[in-house]
């Protein structure tokens, strides 16, 4: 496996890889990816992440069935694009549907969890129910994991639809109440091709000194 990609090439070619082969990913590779995740920064360096590595076929199938239903409930049964539609949106929808139908075939579904924490802006007397996980402290870890997968030649994508069945997921996997699931990352060897990614040019979203001023004075 190529482990030597430069950081910029890794970032610039890290597409959401939703078409994965079922071939197993070695445990030492998974450990290396998670090690990379844990190098991320976090608020107060609390490192409030935890990982659940789903490999059990029944648990993956449970996840896939709920995820697929959540996607169809959210976007509608008729979400399949016209086969002649080659737009970027249509391709994303097709690949998202493919993932929803085949997620359980990925060798690993990685649940990245975060300890629940109230945002400072919510005063103590206004807090009801569970706090959300501190997303800002977990997403750098998620990004490190995605980059590590790419650098090691593995396909991965960031998904969040588990939110639609999170209580059931907690019960099924035994996740304690004081943790929330921030992202689910299916990981495996890629069937599709990597990058380059298509993004809005940075100068279009950059402002110098005053909003709207796209060039430095
Ligand atoms: C917060 C967040 C939530 C996402 N949730 C999902 C998801 O539930 N399912 C999915 O297939 N992709 C999900 N994605 C992936 C995006 O669709 C993907 O990053 C975007 O379309 C760019 O794709 P590309 O890297 O292939 O160009 C999510 C991405 C982010 C950042």
């Amino acid at each position: 496996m190529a482990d030597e990609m430069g950081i910029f090439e890794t970032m610039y070619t890290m597409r959401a890889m939703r078409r994965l082969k079922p071939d197993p990913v070695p445990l030492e590779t998974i450990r290396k990816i998670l090690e990379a995740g844990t190098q991320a920064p976090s608020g107060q360096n609390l490192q409030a992440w935890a990982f659940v590595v789903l490999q059990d076929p029944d648990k993956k199938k449970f996840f896939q069935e709920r995820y697929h239903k959540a996607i169809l409930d959210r976007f509608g049964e008729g979400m399949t694009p016209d086969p002649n539609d080659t737009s970027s949106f249509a391709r994303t929808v097709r690949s998202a549907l493919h993932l929803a139908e085949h997620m359980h075939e990925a060798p690993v579904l990685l649940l990245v969890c975060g300890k629940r924490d109230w945002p400072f802006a919510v005063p103590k007397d206004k807090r009801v129910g569970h706090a959300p996980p501190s997303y800002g402290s977990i997403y750098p870890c998620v990004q490190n994991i995605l980059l590590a997968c790419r650098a090691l030649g593995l396909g991965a994508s960031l998904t969040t639809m588990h939110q639609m069945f999170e209580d059931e997921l907690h019960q099924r996997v035994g996740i304690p109440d004081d943790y929330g699931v921030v992202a689910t990352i299916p990981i495996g060897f890629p069937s599709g091709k990597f990058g380059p990614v298509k993004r809005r040019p940075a100068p279009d979203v950059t402002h110098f000194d005053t909003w709207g001023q796209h060039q430095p004075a």
Side-chain angles (χ1 to χ4, degrees), residues 77-157:
E77 295 274 350
M79 71 184 276
T80 313
D82 184 294
N84 299 320
D85 188 346
T86 55
S87 66
S88 152
F89 178 72
R91 278 185 278 125
T92 298
V93 172
R94 253 181 237 118
S95 97
L97 267 176
H98 176 90
L99 177 65
E101 286 159 10
H102 296 272
M103 210 165 197
H104 56 298
E105 295 163 20
V108 171
L109 297 182
L110 175 66
L111 311 183
V112 183
C113 305
K115 197 147 171 46
R116 297 185 186 279
D117 197 5
W118 285 104
F120 299 139
V122 181
K124 282 202 169 123
D125 61 329
K126 296 270 174 352
R127 297 175 182 180
V128 280
H130 286 312
S134 180
Y135 295 111
S137 278
I138 304 301
Y139 268 111
C141 168
V142 168
Q143 181 74 356
N144 269 12
I145 288 169
L146 294 171
L147 288 168
C149 286
R150 172 68 194 99
L152 293 168
L154 288 165
S157 57

Side-chain angles (χ1 to χ4, degrees), residues 14-18 67 71 92 95-96 99 139 157-162 197-199:
M14 196 190 74
R15 288 202 306 109
M17 185 58 70
R18 301 190 184 89
Y67 182 95
I71 288 264
T92 298
S95 97
L99 177 65
Y139 268 111
S157 57
L158 198 173
T159 77
T160 46
M161 269 292 160
H162 62 266
V197 297
K198 290 202 183 98
R199 304 290 186 250

